[in-house]
């Protein structure tokens, strides 16, 4: 069974630009959540989607947004990039909507210059 | 406000001995806990879970203990192997959706 797939794996963007990251969950998983990991920090929750609806949102500015499609694939978007947005962005999928183990993809490394 | 804390940034253990990684939390509503292992440049790999209705869960060399009154959980790895060298994260959820709060990780080094 294929795991969580994230694309692209690495990207470099300039301040002020926007970026879209993609995530394909494990087959059959309907919940997708996104996390940001920066140096020295643990993983910070961004948002979670279940059945195309955002269920929870972390404490991030509105520049961070996401969506989920009917096939459970998800995208997250960061607009007006700042240097501090440089991070590893991790997508995780889960079978159900709560109280479940979440399984991570390899992540997308974003560098903002 | 860090609701999940791993106070030991690093730990070194001899091969074959026990590794004990600790995690503390502050939110009494947390009822589901996970441990992950992470290598550099890779995503976290799920190791073991425990729900608040249990105080212990075992899976092979990995055992997680939960002390709800102390708001403390620990991961025991026995015996430790060099391949266990990685950063370990604990995570907790209050059961409303899959929003997890993560600790900052403990870097484990197993010395051959």
């Amino acid at each position: 069974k294929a795991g969580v797939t994230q694309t692209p794996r690495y990207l470099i963007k300039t301040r002020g630009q926007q970026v879209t990251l993609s995530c394909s969950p494990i087959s059959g998983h309907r919940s997708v959540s996104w996390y940001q990991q920066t140096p020295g920090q643990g993983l910070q929750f961004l948002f979670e989607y279940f059945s195309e609806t955002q269920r929870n949102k972390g404490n991030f500015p509105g520049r961070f947004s996401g969506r989920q499609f009917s096939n459970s694939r998800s995208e997250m978007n960061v607009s007006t990039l700042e240097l501090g947005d440089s991070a590893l962005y991790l997508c995780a999928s889960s079978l159900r909507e709560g109280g479940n183990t979440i399984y991570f993809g390899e992540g997308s490394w974003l560098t903002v210059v | 406000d860090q609701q999940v804390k791993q106070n030991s940034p690093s730990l070194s253990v001899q091969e074959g001995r026990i590794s004990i990684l600790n995690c503390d939390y502050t939110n009494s509503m947390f009822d589901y806990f996970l441990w992950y292992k992470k290598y550099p440049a890779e995503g976290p790999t799920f190791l073991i879970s425990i729900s608040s209705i249990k105080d212990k869960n075992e899976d092979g060399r990995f055992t997680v203990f939960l002390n709800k009154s102390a708001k403390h959980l620990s991961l025991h790895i026995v015996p430790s192997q060099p391949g266990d060298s990685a950063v370990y994260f604990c995570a907790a959820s209050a059961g409303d959706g899959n929003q997890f709060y993560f600790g900052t990780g403990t870097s484990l080094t197993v010395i051959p």
Side-chain angles (χ1 to χ4, degrees), chain A residues 11-17 81-87 89 110-113:
Chain A
L11 67 165
I12 300 173
K13 290 286 187 178
T14 304
R15 271 182 302 174
Q17 286 187 316
L81 285 166
E82 300 176 359
L83 295 178
D85 297 332
S86 296
Y89 290 88
L110 170 64
T111 301
V112 182
V113 297

Side-chain angles (χ1 to χ4, degrees), chain B residues 3-110:
Chain B
Q3 298 191 48
V4 178
K5 297 179 183 178
Q6 293 176 259
N7 293 318
S8 298
S10 62
L11 174 69
S12 291
V13 172
Q14 289 290 130
E15 181 178 2
R17 306 295 289 270
I18 184 172
S19 294
I20 300 176
L21 298 102
N22 294 303
C23 180
D24 297 296
Y25 61 96
T26 57
N27 189 340
S28 58
M29 298 300 291
F30 287 153
D31 60 3
Y32 193 64
F33 304 87
L34 307 172
W35 281 95
Y36 291 87
K37 176 168 84 170
K38 188 178 185 299
Y39 295 117
E42 294 185 11
T45 300
F46 167 70
L47 286 173
I48 193 167
S49 65
I50 189 166
S51 75
S52 58
I53 62 173
K54 294 185 173 183
D55 54 19
K56 177 182 173 182
N57 189 27
E58 286 182 79
D59 185 359
R61 296 186 298 115
F62 302 93
T63 302
V64 56
F65 295 91
L66 176 62
N67 183 333
K68 291 183 287 294
S69 60
K71 296 190 181 68
H72 177 84
L73 65 158
S74 61
L75 174 68
H76 293 208
I77 306 173
V78 183
S80 300
Q81 300 172 353
D84 295 330
S85 296
V87 178
Y88 289 77
F89 292 95
C90 63
S93 169
D96 178 21
N98 289 315
Q99 177 174 356
F100 282 87
Y101 296 84
F102 281 77
T104 51
T106 296
S107 178
L108 173 66
T109 302
V110 180

